[in-house]
Every structure is written in C-alpha cells, then in structure tokens.
Amino acid sequence: MNEKVFNSILSLSALVIAIVLGVASFYLGFIDKESPCILCWAHRMLMIGTVMFAFMIVRYGPKPKYVGWIIFIGVFGMFAGFRHSSGSFAWDIHQGWWAEILGAHTYTWPIVIQGVVLVFTALLFLFTKNVYSFVSESYKPFSKLTKTTMVAFMVVVAGNIVQAFISTGYPPNMGVGNPTRLSFNPDYWYWTTDSWKRLNRPTGFRNSWDVEQPDLPSQPSTQQFILDSAQAPLVSTNKLAVIKQDKIKVPLNAPATDIAFNGADKYLVTTEKWGLYLLDNALENVKRFAVLDHLNGANGRVPVGSAFFSETEFGVLGWNKIFVFFKEDDTRTAKQNFPSFIEGLDQYSVTARGAYNTVRARMHHVLSMAYLPENNSVYSATVPSMKHKKLIISRFDKRDNLLSEEFIPAVKDGMTLREGKALADYYIMGLTAHDGALYAVSKQFSQVLKIDPVSKQITQVYEFSGIMNPQGITFKDGVMQILSYENGENILYSLSE
C-alpha cells in the first residue's frame, strides 16, 4: 500500500466519523430535537479528536504520537461507551434512553465506533509496509478527498457547536444527565451549573459498588454492635430465655457460619472454609462431610446461609448471593465429583450452582438463607453497610432460581417503632422458616423478628440475652435454636418463652 492509498483510506475513515457526528447533530438534534446528555457530549468530543489526529497523520505522516493518541482515544472512548451504557444494560428488551439506530440506542454506538477505529488502525498498519517512511517533518498538500472531508468535518463541528450552545450554554454551565429537547426558542433553553455539584460527592474507583465485607465469625466487620434490645428499632413483644446450650464438639475446619435442621435426624453446619457437615442430633458425630471447591465455578466467597429442602437435600448461600444446592449421594465416584469438591468426593452431588440476581438488594450482602416449603421458595435478608442501609427480604422460586419478589417488611399495627430508629439498623445473621413464617435473628440488638411472608409484616419481636455472636437460627422439634461463635467455640443455644 503506497502513501496515497494510505491517506485516501484514512480520509474516508475520517469522513465516515464526520457523517456519524453530522447525523447526530443535524438529524437527531435539529430535526428530531434530541439533545445530548453530558456523557453524549464526551463521546462526540472524543470522535472529533479521532478525526483531528487522522488529519494530522495525513498531513505529517503516521508519527507515533499521532497514532498513540488515536489508540488512547479509542480505548478511552470504548470505556466511556460502556460507562454510559452500563446503567441500562440489564434492563428488559428494548428499554433504554433516547432513540435507537439499527436496534441499538445511540449511546451504545460509541462502543462500536471506537472499537472499529482500534481494529481499523491495527489492520491499516498491519498491512502497510514501511508505513513510517510516510512521516514528514513538513506538511504535505491535501488531496481533494481530504479537503472535502475537512470541509464536511468543519460544517459538522459548527453544527455541534450550535447545538451545544443551545442545549448547554457557555461556561460555567454544563451538560446534564437528562436534557430537555432542543428548541430554537431561547425561552426554552435550560442552562444550568447543577452538574458541578456532582464533583463534591465522595467517590472511589468502584464508587457505590465498593462495599465492605460483612461480619463473619473470624473476620469481624467494622460494624459496632449493640446487644441491648432496649435500643432496638422495635419494642420487643416476647422474651426468650436460654433453656439449654450445646457445644459442637466435632472438630470443624473453620468457624461455623450457619446451621439448619432437616426435621428428622440431622443438622447441617457450614463453615467459613466451605465445610459441609451433616451431624447427628447430639452434634457429636459426623454423618457426612465435604469441602466444596468454591473457586472453580460460581464463587460464593464464604457460605453464610443454609437450608434443607428435604431430609437429604439442602442449599448453601454465599454472602454475595451465589448459591449451591446439594443432595446426599453414595453413587458418585471421586472422579465425577473431583470438579466440585476438595474433600469428601463421595458424599454429595451438586444439583445446582449459580447466582441469585436481585433488584432492590443488588448493592447489599446477605448472611442468611431460609426455605419455605409452602411456596417452594428460598429467602434471604440483607445486612447494612456503610454505603447502603436497607432491610430487604428477597424471595427466589426454587423451580427456576429467579427472583420472584422483594420487599421491605412493614410493621404490624400495634407494634412500636422507636423514634429515630429504622428497620435498616438490624443486622440479620440468620434466617429460617417455621410453620409458614420466617424468623430472622439480628446480632444488632439481640432480637429475633418473626415475619409473615404473605402480609410481608413483622408480626412479633423476640428479645434474648447472653448470646454474644449469633450466626444462624433453626428450629428443632418446635424449639428455636441459635448458633453462636464465642471464644473460639461453636455453641448452639435452645430458647423458649
């Protein structure tokens, strides 16, 4: 490929981008009255920069600094496109902002355009021999094609300047996230400096996604816990007393994070290191044991919730809402189970593994799991963090493991919510189902909340004392039991009114 062909291809490429910018400004803007948001303006300016450096290459040759800027703009432009589109990627089909072109919303096209620029630049240099021989220290005359492209580009830039002035104004005014439609009547021009206020917000690399790890037995969080129920958001309606306490004498591979009872003869105890222990009624003998290979597959980080689905089937939930379902199975060979387990390769089989996706609770961690046979559903409850504080109950239909509902529980009439307190102050460490109701144990304020999943109300509040570090809750023969990790020991407390 000689220099003339090289420059012609580059000029045509610049013309294509200029046409895209022209359609955005003259057709979408002046005809359809669509105004760009602040991020849309960023996309346009990046494309303008790409065209300008293309002209520099045509004029002076492909100097590394010009090529480098095109690559940098392309990479940053793709990032900006993903950043802009990420807010609506997970929306339902055909949902989004502004107009669509070929089925894709306008703000997603910069990803494609900048990606094509990068690929095209790579191919252009890949198939051009001695490309740097085109470099010149003095300017070279433009061809008619390049001059035509430059004229078209200047017209397009002028159109964008006019549109920017109408929709955004002059400094210190700035673009907004949701602009009004374009009007040539100055009475309907909305110029504002409100976007500058966003710079005052505290931020981080992951911003609101940067949430601290929740409280775990051997990895306590920075949360300061108050064990006094007199300071709880809800006034207690019932009092519980410890009638028995049993230590789990079986050596575990890590502190226990939850407990569940199968209604017959077995407890399930999960540990921080994905130990899955089936223990007898006396908590003295191990009936089955395995360690899940949690890294190779959907990574549940640390298992914090568990529930039996039947006497021989159970599920475990990580604090990031990754679930794994198991069943007792003596037919599996070590080779078949090698991909799933590190130890106990002949004890269980994995029946499902995936992620529970939520809407209201997507920024929250969970430390609990319950199974309600009445509607064949799995429930979880959120815990607060420094950035997100809501008590949200999520229900997932076990038939397809998809979100069925989410709700912030209401308080039953007649119950007292203390002034200045909120349900989000609770820190739910365990959740279980019993007689059609959900029971949530909160480490914060030492209370158990009884929740009606039908009315979505908290109907009773039980207070307890003497349990320092609750991790899970279950029922055995109608008796409420709370698992606690204290002074290096796993203790199961039985309580009664």
Side-chain angles (χ1 to χ4, degrees):
M1 185 186 302
N2 59 38
E3 185 175 10
K4 183 177 181 181
V5 174
F6 179 89
N7 288 340
S8 297
I9 293 175
L10 209 58
S11 297
L12 284 172
S13 303
L15 181 61
V16 170
I17 297 178
I19 290 173
V20 171
L21 290 168
V23 170
S25 180
F26 291 97
Y27 179 76
L28 295 180
F30 297 149
I31 297 176
D32 277 359
K33 311 302 183 194
E34 183 177 312
S35 294
C37 71
I38 188 170
L39 286 175
C40 293
W41 280 121
H43 298 318
R44 295 193 189 187
M45 287 188 286
L46 288 169
M47 291 183 200
I48 289 172
T50 298
V51 175
M52 290 178 63
F53 280 108
F55 288 144
M56 297 293 284
I57 291 175
V58 173
R59 174 67 91 178
Y60 297 105
K63 292 183 178 181
K65 59 182 177 181
Y66 302 147
V67 178
W69 272 110
I70 286 181
I71 294 173
F72 177 81
I73 292 172
V75 172
F76 187 77
M78 288 192 70
F79 164 77
F82 279 112
R83 164 64 181 84
H84 196 176
S85 306
S86 61
S88 57
F89 268 158
W91 287 6
D92 285 3
I93 187 170
H94 284 163
Q95 293 180 345
W97 302 89
W98 296 288
E100 292 182 14
I101 298 176
L102 299 178
H105 289 277
T106 52
Y107 50 84
T108 63
W109 277 102
I111 302 173
V112 177
I113 294 169
Q114 298 291 1
V116 170
V117 167
L118 291 174
V119 172
F120 181 77
T121 302
L123 292 175
L124 195 60
F125 281 80
L126 186 63
F127 291 102
T128 304
K129 295 181 179 180
N130 302 320
V131 66
Y132 289 113
S133 65
F134 303 163
V135 173
S136 172
E137 293 302 324
S138 59
Y139 74 87
K140 303 173 185 178
F142 285 138
S143 66
K144 290 183 179 179
L145 174 60
T146 304
K147 291 179 180 179
T148 302
T149 300
M150 291 190 70
V151 171
F153 176 67
M154 288 188 286
V155 171
V156 167
V157 170
N160 277 272
I161 291 173
V162 172
Q163 188 181 13
F165 181 78
I166 293 174
S167 64
T168 302
Y170 48 79
N173 295 296
M174 187 188 288
V176 295
N178 192 18
T180 58
R181 66 182 180 277
L182 187 140
S183 172
F184 291 104
N185 186 344
D187 291 338
Y188 300 114
W189 293 356
Y190 292 87
W191 295 354
T192 179
T193 59
D194 286 347
S195 292
W196 288 104
K197 297 177 183 177
R198 300 179 64 179
L199 299 178
N200 297 325
R201 299 177 187 174
T203 186
F205 182 72
R206 300 187 69 226
N207 204 6
S208 59
W209 292 86
D210 188 15
V211 178
E212 73 274 13
Q213 179 177 291
D215 190 78
L216 297 170
S218 66
Q219 305 169 50
S221 68
T222 56
Q223 173 82 33
Q224 297 298 312
F225 291 102
I226 300 170
L227 303 183
D228 183 8
S229 58
Q231 300 185 51
L234 293 173
V235 176
S236 301
T237 59
N238 305 72
K239 290 188 177 182
L240 296 171
V242 175
I243 57 175
K244 185 183 179 183
Q245 65 181 68
D246 298 287
K247 293 181 181 179
I248 299 179
K249 299 177 182 178
V250 173
L252 305 178
N253 68 345
T257 56
D258 197 21
I259 192 167
F261 187 68
N262 73 344
D265 61 348
K266 288 191 286 287
Y267 284 100
L268 167 65
V269 175
T270 56
T271 72
E272 285 186 356
K273 293 184 178 179
W274 280 96
L276 307 170
Y277 294 82
L278 286 181
L279 307 182
D280 63 7
N281 275 316
L283 299 171
E284 295 179 350
N285 298 299
V286 178
K287 293 193 171 186
R288 289 180 186 269
F289 162 70
V291 176
L292 183 76
D293 184 359
H294 69 285
L295 292 177
N296 292 290
N299 185 356
R301 307 296 286 274
V302 176
V304 291
S306 61
F308 276 100
F309 306 137
S310 69
E311 288 187 16
T312 60
E313 296 179 281
F314 59 90
V316 175
L317 188 66
W319 52 256
N320 57 356
K321 308 186 194 81
I322 295 292
F323 65 84
V324 190
F325 295 166
F326 307 86
K327 70 175 181 180
E328 297 181 43
D329 194 343
D330 294 322
T331 66
R332 300 282 289 181
T333 66
K335 183 175 182 178
Q336 289 174 315
N337 269 357
F338 182 82
S340 298
F341 297 96
I342 297 174
E343 297 181 51
L345 303 184
D346 58 350
Q347 298 296 299
Y348 309 110
S349 62
V350 174
T351 58
R353 188 169 181 170
Y356 284 143
N357 296 309
T358 60
V359 179
R360 293 181 177 87
R362 64 197 304 255
M363 294 295 187
H364 292 76
H365 293 135
V366 299
L367 291 173
S368 57
M369 177 186 186
Y371 173 69
L372 191 65
E374 285 81 357
N375 58 8
N376 192 28
S377 295
V378 172
Y379 287 83
S380 67
T382 60
V383 293
S385 66
M386 295 296 292
K387 292 185 178 180
H388 309 286
K389 295 184 178 182
K390 287 184 180 179
L391 174 56
I392 301 166
I393 308 297
S394 303
R395 178 173 74 86
F396 309 91
D397 193 318
K398 192 173 176 295
R399 291 174 296 180
D400 57 12
N401 294 316
L402 295 178
L403 180 68
S404 294
E405 66 174 335
E406 288 179 300
F407 62 89
I408 297 174
V411 179
K412 183 180 178 181
D413 290 343
M415 297 181 65
T416 304
L417 179 64
R418 290 187 172 98
E419 186 177 353
K421 299 287 186 176
L423 296 181
D425 296 333
Y426 284 110
Y427 205 94
I428 305 302
M429 301 293 297
L431 190 68
T432 191
H434 180 66
D435 289 342
L438 299 173
Y439 290 80
V441 58
S442 173
K443 182 175 178 178
Q444 189 80 293
F445 311 119
S446 301
Q447 287 184 331
V448 174
L449 310 179
K450 182 179 180 181
I451 303 170
D452 183 349
V454 177
S455 67
K456 301 176 179 57
Q457 292 181 326
I458 298 174
T459 57
Q460 286 181 287
V461 180
Y462 300 84
E463 68 174 65
F464 58 85
S465 60
I467 303 177
M468 307 305 295
N469 190 17
Q471 297 298 319
I473 183 172
T474 190
F475 278 84
K476 178 186 177 184
D477 300 329
V479 177
M480 183 188 298
Q481 297 181 313
I482 295 177
L483 175 69
S484 182
Y485 182 73
E486 301 172 9
N487 300 318
E489 295 182 318
N490 301 291
I491 304 172
L492 186 62
Y493 292 89
S494 298
L495 302 101
S496 178
E497 292 187 56

